[in-house]
Amino acid sequence: MTSLRDLPLSALRALAAAARAGSLTRAAEELGVTPGAVGHQLRQLEDRLGVKLVRRDGNGIVLTRAAEAALPDIDRGFDALSSGLRRLRFERRTETFTIAADPSFASLWLAPRLDRVRAALGKLDVRIVASVALDSMAEEGVDLAISYRNSAAKDLASIDLFTERVVPACAPSLIRKRPWPDAAETLDHLPLLHIDPTMGDDVYPTWRDWFAAAGRQRKDLDQGPRFALTIVVAQAAIAGLGALLASELVLRRHLGPGQLIEIARDVPALTIRRRLVWPLHGPKASRAAAIAAQLAEAAALEIGAALP
């Protein structure tokens, strides 16, 4: 009997994905790896078992008779594992209060203020995770979300946290020889850094939004390095790699010491509104409402960090 330690779970997962997709390429997309990695896993599994599992069929693959016979058991095994993990997550969720927020905001604003909600948390441990879609809060086990999206869902409650200015900024060295750093023209030729909405921080307007608001055009608006997090792209901007567009609140630690400076001030700043969102019903709904109120109160006391 094969022990749990010897189970080739990655290879079995590759086989199940290949069976569903009928293609190494599509299986690789599902698993988030390369087609070569899927093929390597399948070959290793075949070598280990001493049996052929897949064969080529045009541009795709088909399972051998042996693989087809074993696949239902493999699928049931993964279903059982998923069920067990869901049960463990549920047990853990009863002991934690989960807050979802984009990582840059969570690290720079939320985390330092968690002591203000300690009493409302009671015996629950707080857990901070990356932003989730509001309609998947229950599925992801999120008790409170900090989101810039307006929620129209009837089963969600929300209050405003605050509004933030979204400003262009760069290292002083990039504009040292430019006579009018506050003019919109300053950004006509500077290299642009981007926060990629598909990678995490989907909070901020894009450069395309900014140039449209400024009434200006630029052909290479979508070109330039992309970063998952504002705190990372800020470091690239400090190194002089280009200008970024991000929340003044998140950039404040760099704007104050002069590592970055706000530029193109002639263009009115774009804004985003952060909101606190939580389920109206559920065992932690009243606790979420209390924690949201305390965070909103903390934000109101720091009106300098946001627009009134």
Side-chain angles (χ1 to χ4, degrees), residues 165-166 210 213-214 264-270:
R165 299 173 70 241
V166 179
W210 188 91
R265 294 171 183 260
D266 287 352
V267 179
L270 302 175

Side-chain angles (χ1 to χ4, degrees), residues 15 51-55 62-72:
L15 176 62
V51 62
K52 189 70 174 173
L53 299 173
V54 298
R55 57 183 175 81
V62 294
L63 298 185
T64 64
R65 185 177 300 177
E68 284 183 346
L71 188 63

Side-chain angles (χ1 to χ4, degrees), residues 13-162:
R13 191 163 56 243
L15 176 62
R20 285 190 299 270
S23 160
L24 294 184
T25 300
R26 289 194 293 273
E29 291 173 354
E30 177 184 330
L31 297 174
V33 297
T34 65
V38 175
H40 179 68
Q41 290 279 7
L42 293 178
R43 286 192 296 273
Q44 280 194 324
L45 188 58
E46 289 176 334
D47 291 342
R48 176 173 182 160
L49 298 174
V51 62
K52 189 70 174 173
L53 299 173
V54 298
R55 57 183 175 81
R56 294 281 183 178
D57 182 30
N59 292 328
I61 60 167
V62 294
L63 298 185
T64 64
R65 185 177 300 177
E68 284 183 346
L71 188 63
D73 287 335
I74 294 171
D75 285 338
R76 281 192 293 270
F78 279 117
D79 288 342
L81 285 172
S82 297
S83 177
L85 286 174
R86 284 194 297 271
R87 185 179 297 276
L88 289 172
R89 288 195 186 104
F90 177 79
E91 293 298 326
R92 178 58 178 157
R93 287 172 188 174
T94 63
E95 303 170 2
T96 60
F97 187 89
T98 300
I99 303 175
D102 73 85
S104 298
F105 180 81
S107 65
L108 297 176
W109 191 89
L110 177 60
R113 289 159 181 82
L114 289 178
D115 60 328
R116 304 194 184 196
V117 299
R118 176 52 55 192
L121 284 168
K123 295 182 179 180
L124 295 179
D125 292 326
V126 70
R127 172 173 168 256
I128 299 178
V129 298
S131 299
V132 300
L134 295 183
D135 58 5
S136 66
M137 286 180 64
E139 179 184 344
E140 298 292 338
V142 171
D143 302 302
L144 178 68
I146 300 178
S147 172
Y148 75 104
R149 300 173 180 85
N150 289 323
S151 172
K154 294 180 180 179
D155 59 345
L156 295 177
S158 66
I159 57 174
D160 287 352
L161 185 60
F162 46 56

Side-chain angles (χ1 to χ4, degrees), residues 258-280:
Q259 296 172 309
L260 294 173
I261 57 173
E262 182 180 347
I263 55 177
R265 294 171 183 260
D266 287 352
V267 179
L270 302 175
T271 61
I272 55 172
R273 180 187 298 174
R274 304 233 187 213
R275 299 174 66 82
L276 296 154
V277 184
W278 66 95
L280 275 171

Side-chain angles (χ1 to χ4, degrees), residues 245-303:
L245 184 67
S247 162
E248 181 186 23
L249 172 62
V250 175
L251 295 181
R252 179 159 296 182
R253 60 164 52 185
H254 304 303
L255 292 170
Q259 296 172 309
L260 294 173
I261 57 173
E262 182 180 347
I263 55 177
R265 294 171 183 260
D266 287 352
V267 179
L270 302 175
T271 61
I272 55 172
R273 180 187 298 174
R274 304 233 187 213
R275 299 174 66 82
L276 296 154
V277 184
W278 66 95
L280 275 171
H281 309 290
K284 300 177 190 172
S286 60
R287 196 182 296 271
I291 291 172
Q294 290 180 348
L295 289 174
E297 181 181 353
L301 293 173
E302 302 165 0
I303 200 67

